[in-house]
Amino acid sequence: LLRLFKLLEQHCQLGFIINDLHRHWLAYYFIKWAGILFSKSYLFKNDAPLSVARAFKKGEIENLFKNKSPYIITWKWAFRWLVIKYK
């Protein structure tokens, strides 16, 4: 990820935006039950909860960007993190 951030920063003019899942127990169980109740897709039932389980928490994102200011991290609806990194 750090190499990707460096590459993005080298090739952007103003900055870049990251929109990623938020690892949270409520999001995990919601998507797990939604898959059971509303989807017949094996892929959705297995990959959606796994994506939430492997997502970031705010502290982990802050740790990735600790030496890369200026940046903003905000929580968005549907358990997502929005990261804006300015050049």
Side-chain angles (χ1 to χ4, degrees):
L1 277 178
L2 296 177
R3 287 190 338 201
L4 175 62
F5 295 158
K6 187 175 182 178
L7 184 68
L8 288 171
E9 198 164 19
Q10 289 172 351
H11 294 287
C12 71
Q13 291 181 4
L14 300 174
F16 58 88
I17 297 172
I18 300 170
N19 181 20
D20 198 14
L21 291 171
H22 171 195
R23 187 172 73 232
H24 191 278
W25 65 270
L26 185 59
Y28 177 83
Y29 287 108
F30 175 78
I31 202 71
K32 195 163 186 69
W33 281 103
I36 291 169
L37 295 173
F38 301 113
S39 179
K40 294 180 182 178
S41 167
Y42 173 81
L43 186 65
F44 179 85
K45 288 179 182 180
N46 291 285
D47 286 3
L50 184 61
S51 293
V52 174
R54 291 185 175 178
F56 288 103
K57 289 191 174 236
K58 185 176 184 181
E60 295 167 338
I61 297 172
E62 289 173 335
N63 199 28
L64 287 171
F65 283 92
K66 65 183 171 190
N67 296 325
K68 299 189 179 332
S69 61
Y71 66 91
I72 297 172
I73 301 173
T74 52
W75 189 86
K76 296 296 181 182
W77 182 85
F79 292 94
R80 298 209 162 264
W81 289 115
L82 174 66
V83 182
I84 302 172
K85 169 63 178 88
Y86 299 99
K87 193 159 187 177

